[in-house]
Amino acid sequence: MTVKSLLPLIAATFVCGGFILVEARQPKSLAVVTKPTVSQPVQPQWKLFTAPDGRFTILMPGSPNRNTQYQKTYMGEINLEIFVAQPPKQQVAYVVAYNDFPYSYGEMADPQAVLNNARDMALKTTKSNLISQRNIRSSNNHPGKEIEYINSGGKITKSRMYVAEGRLYQVMAITTKKQQKTLAKTITGYLNSFHVVLKK
């Protein structure tokens, strides 16, 4: 699973949200093991990541890869920023992505409508079924929505979306059912660490 293979999929589905995780295949072990052993995921070094423009902070497992893309949409041209971190030997991707709305759209748009649209697009473009959803607020009170969904390949995405100061943020952890059980606390900690930094 490479960042390059994920980017076209993110860009194609992102403006109102969505992300597809390509399955990482583990090489089969040739050694004959008499006693089954459960290998624990290698714990990466988590550190605070600050966005290049200083407008959000989050704990990430190492330094994320950054990609910038431009997309034409019904609102005009959108600048899409994507940050992806993938710990070694784990079938999980930690993603923060955002796009700024054109000023006029950002002023008029109802945040709840934007969030609902983002949810619907995420489910549609990833061909996923919604597991759960709830309305949330960012640490400094911006409207948000948390959704969890599963696609036909069994990938589970837990996503928190926020509308803040003319921008849609999406903070996602995408993993397999098996890894989700062992990483549940880590994923919650990751999502909880996201913080919108207010413009001065």
Side-chain angles (χ1 to χ4, degrees):
M1 183 166 64
T2 65
V3 172
K4 259 188 181 171
S5 67
L6 296 174
L7 292 173
L9 299 170
I10 299 172
T13 60
F14 186 76
V15 173
C16 289
F19 185 86
I20 300 167
L21 186 68
V22 179
E23 179 137 18
R25 301 203 192 289
Q26 298 292 341
K28 288 181 180 168
S29 174
L30 299 175
V32 178
V33 181
T34 51
K35 189 177 174 187
T37 57
V38 179
S39 62
Q40 289 297 316
V42 177
Q43 291 306 315
Q45 234 1 79
W46 286 79
K47 52 190 177 185
L48 192 67
F49 172 72
T50 302
D53 67 359
R55 287 184 57 191
F56 73 83
T57 59
I58 190 166
L59 285 172
M60 286 288 239
S63 297
N65 290 305
R66 179 187 184 184
N67 188 267
T68 304
Q69 297 194 0
Y70 299 92
Q71 277 188 282
K72 289 183 178 173
T73 74
Y74 65 93
M75 297 175 287
E77 193 167 77
I78 295 286
N79 181 23
L80 176 62
E81 295 284 351
I82 307 160
F83 302 89
V84 183
Q86 295 174 272
K89 299 184 181 176
Q90 291 185 24
Q91 293 183 324
V92 61
Y94 297 98
V95 183
V96 180
Y98 69 80
N99 64 273
D100 289 309
F101 297 118
Y103 181 75
S104 57
Y105 181 85
E107 288 292 294
M108 294 184 305
D110 170 33
Q112 213 54 52
V114 171
L115 293 166
N116 288 340
N117 197 22
R119 173 202 60 208
D120 296 344
M121 285 297 291
L123 296 174
K124 183 180 176 184
T125 54
T126 59
K127 296 183 174 140
S128 296
N129 292 318
L130 187 67
I131 298 170
S132 64
Q133 67 175 326
R134 65 189 178 104
N135 290 331
I136 55 174
R137 291 262 168 192
S138 71
S139 55
N140 37 28
N141 213 32
H142 291 103
K145 188 176 286 288
E146 179 185 276
I147 60 173
E148 191 169 6
Y149 51 93
I150 185 167
N151 72 9
S152 57
K155 293 289 179 291
I156 297 174
T157 300
K158 193 161 191 176
S159 172
R160 289 185 184 172
M161 303 174 287
Y162 302 97
V163 176
E165 299 183 324
R167 181 177 279 185
L168 172 66
Y169 291 97
Q170 292 194 65
V171 186
M172 297 173 267
I174 305 141
T175 188
T176 60
K177 277 185 187 176
K178 186 178 175 183
Q179 283 265 277
Q180 191 205 29
K181 286 173 185 167
T182 59
L183 293 173
K185 283 184 181 173
T186 303
I187 288 170
T188 299
Y190 162 73
L191 295 171
N192 286 344
S193 74
F194 179 77
H195 179 69
V196 177
V197 178
L198 300 177
K199 286 191 284 191
K200 290 178 181 176

